[in-house]
Amino acid sequence: MIKAVAGALVPVIIVSVLLFIFGPRLTSRTNVPSGPAAIKYTGFEDENVMVPVLQEFEKNNPGIKVNYSRQSSVNYRTRVQTQIREGAGPDVFTIHSTWTKMFTGDLAPAPSDILNLTAFQNTYFPVAMESFVSEGSIYGVPDEIGGLALYYNEEILSGGGVQVPKTWQEFIDAATKVTVKDSTGAIKTAGAALGTSSNVDFWPDILGLLLLQQPGVNPAEPVSAQVTEVLKFYTGFVTDPARKTWDTTLLSSTTMFAQGTLAFYFAPGSEAARLSISNPNLKFKIAPVPQLPGRNIAWGSFWGNAVSVKSKHVKESWKLAKFLSERQQEKQKIKASDPLLSVFISQGPVYKSWYLASGTADSGINDEMIKVWGEAVNAVLSGTPVQSALQNIDSKVKKILETYTGLPTPTPKR
């Protein structure tokens, strides 16, 4: 009986020894992923544009598979942020340069072996550091950096004998000279589209530019002599008879410029192609924005990509974000050689930004700030003293900043 039991134990002992020797190897094999890391990427580009780009990325990174989905801009920011917080969001997603603080806690910083601060600083314009870097960590990477520039109608300027302005005083002089009015005083050819919030496209960006250019201004503190001067200057293109070049009754600034009845028009680079399609006979060029004496500041507004803090593949996701940025950098080089669009690159070193970026549709800090500053503009146009209009929005501005970024808000770097 004893021998029989001992004999039965032999196979058990042999199996135990085998498991002891080979067990760790067998276990580790069962934990090895069955395929490449699958990461989800959402953005605004058409699938036909993105698929070849992502195929190239996958070819260079065989351990990563990217699933791309194009998103609507409607409710995009709130939708993606909710998905991330519920653990169902994308790994990599498009983000605007002004959204970093709104996404505090939702973003995974870049691993230093993928993208470090030195490389970031040496690759991108300073505004990218100001937008996507916080406390030494990188939370986003630009696709391409652009902003606002001055479009001008060559034929109107030539006919009026004026040069492309480099300063705001030159701008006022040129715009008023080429403005054409009928016998009733109605504007037929507008010199410049500024002063309203209703029919001046990209007016928040224009106002943001003026605020950042003005010495001593902190947009987070509307009640000041400096901000009063800025708002008075902006609305003066409608309210001041001595330099009236625009009116609330006119068509939108984009329509007027496309029709050839507007001399100066502020817009981002994306409008150039649209104008050429809208009116192939329109002769226009683009120049840097006017400056105050001794100042050199332009308005920057741009998109990039970020990685969700909930991603299970942070390193792989950051590889994709960096790759996408590198691809766009190649496009930036092409744009820099384009006589029409090169100005958006030449202004790059002096871009600054704040929370008045139009076109983000973020239902958040930009949209709410634009609404509040629009109230101030409309109040002035209705006859409210400028200082009173600013006092009326002061608490609203601070509340928006507290809601989306926390206080205190630092003065923008100049």
Side-chain angles (χ1 to χ4, degrees):
M1 179 67 71
I2 296 175
K3 291 181 180 179
V5 173
L9 289 174
V10 171
V12 177
I13 294 171
I14 293 174
V15 171
S16 299
V17 172
L18 290 174
L19 286 173
F20 177 78
I21 297 173
F22 298 105
R25 298 181 187 177
L26 294 172
T27 303
S28 64
R29 286 178 183 175
T30 60
N31 290 336
V32 173
S34 58
I39 59 178
K40 294 188 291 184
Y41 170 42
T42 61
F44 301 135
E45 288 281 5
D46 186 271
E47 287 88 347
N48 294 329
V49 175
M50 289 307 305
V51 167
V53 175
L54 296 177
Q55 286 176 341
E56 180 184 347
F57 173 76
E58 291 174 344
K59 182 180 179 181
N60 297 333
N61 299 272
I64 306 174
K65 176 66 177 177
V66 183
N67 298 309
Y68 176 72
S69 63
R70 185 183 185 184
Q71 300 290 304
S72 165
S73 61
V74 179
N75 298 322
Y76 169 77
R77 194 274 303 178
T78 54
R79 182 171 66 254
V80 169
Q81 196 161 30
T82 298
Q83 290 173 347
I84 291 173
R85 293 176 179 180
E86 293 178 347
D91 297 279
V92 183
F93 60 97
T94 296
I95 185 172
H96 192 263
S97 57
T98 57
W99 290 359
T100 305
K101 287 187 179 295
M102 281 201 294
F103 275 82
T104 297
D106 300 317
L107 306 179
S112 59
D113 58 338
I114 301 295
L115 183 61
N116 59 53
L117 280 175
T118 301
F120 193 96
Q121 192 169 14
N122 291 337
T123 303
Y124 306 106
F125 293 129
V127 69
M129 286 281 293
E130 297 170 10
S131 301
F132 287 137
V133 175
S134 177
E135 297 182 356
S137 294
I138 302 167
Y139 290 100
V141 61
D143 267 354
E144 57 179 341
I145 295 181
L148 206 64
L150 177 63
Y151 289 63
Y152 62 93
N153 184 303
E154 293 183 89
E155 293 181 328
I156 294 178
L157 266 62
S158 177
V162 299
Q163 302 296 316
V164 179
K166 295 182 179 180
T167 68
W168 281 108
Q169 186 57 57
E170 292 175 353
F171 178 84
I172 293 171
D173 295 340
T176 53
K177 186 174 181 179
V178 299
T179 298
V180 178
K181 302 176 183 178
D182 64 15
S183 57
T184 66
I187 295 175
K188 295 301 179 182
T189 298
L194 292 93
T196 74
S197 66
S198 57
N199 56 353
V200 176
D201 295 321
F202 313 108
W203 74 265
D205 308 82
I206 301 171
L207 184 59
L209 167 69
L210 294 172
L211 288 169
L212 294 179
Q213 285 185 335
Q214 181 75 5
V217 162
N218 178 1
E221 299 287 348
V223 180
S224 71
Q226 293 89 345
V227 177
T228 299
E229 186 64 28
V230 169
L231 188 55
K232 182 179 180 181
F233 177 83
Y234 178 75
T235 54
F237 287 91
V238 173
T239 62
D240 186 349
R243 56 184 177 92
K244 181 178 176 63
T245 65
W246 192 248
D247 196 86
T248 56
T249 61
L250 296 171
L251 298 174
S252 75
S253 56
T254 301
T255 300
M256 292 277 288
F257 193 79
Q259 291 178 348
T261 54
L262 171 62
F264 294 113
Y265 164 69
F266 291 92
S270 57
E271 292 304 301
R274 296 190 181 102
L275 288 168
S276 296
I277 294 172
S278 175
N279 184 358
N281 297 318
L282 182 66
K283 295 182 178 180
F284 71 93
K285 288 185 178 178
I286 310 174
V289 295
Q291 300 290 335
L292 292 174
R295 304 284 283 175
N296 192 14
I297 293 174
W299 176 262
S301 179
F302 53 95
W303 296 85
N305 286 298
V307 173
S308 167
V309 72
K310 296 289 185 68
S311 173
K312 296 179 181 178
H313 306 288
V314 170
K315 195 165 188 176
E316 292 86 351
S317 296
W318 263 105
K319 283 184 178 180
L320 174 61
K322 182 184 178 185
F323 172 82
L324 294 170
S325 180
E326 290 170 346
R327 284 296 300 260
Q328 291 297 332
Q329 289 297 308
E330 294 301 315
K331 292 184 179 181
Q332 290 272 85
K333 294 177 183 177
I334 296 173
K335 185 183 291 186
S337 63
D338 185 328
L340 194 61
L341 299 176
S342 60
V343 61
F344 292 98
I345 307 301
S346 66
Q347 290 185 145
V350 296
Y351 279 139
K352 300 288 181 183
S353 69
W354 200 65
Y355 306 113
L356 282 169
S358 60
T360 68
D362 61 16
S363 299
I365 194 165
N366 287 291
D367 284 354
E368 292 189 22
M369 199 68 77
I370 288 169
K371 179 181 178 181
V372 166
W373 283 88
E375 292 174 4
V377 171
N378 294 337
V380 174
L381 296 179
S382 298
T384 301
V386 176
Q387 191 170 11
S388 297
L390 291 171
Q391 288 173 341
N392 291 338
I393 70 167
D394 182 66
S395 61
K396 296 178 182 179
V397 169
K398 290 180 170 60
K399 181 62 176 177
I400 294 169
L401 292 171
E402 181 181 8
T403 299
Y404 292 106
T405 73
L407 294 175
T409 301
T411 302
K413 298 178 180 179
R414 301 297 175 86

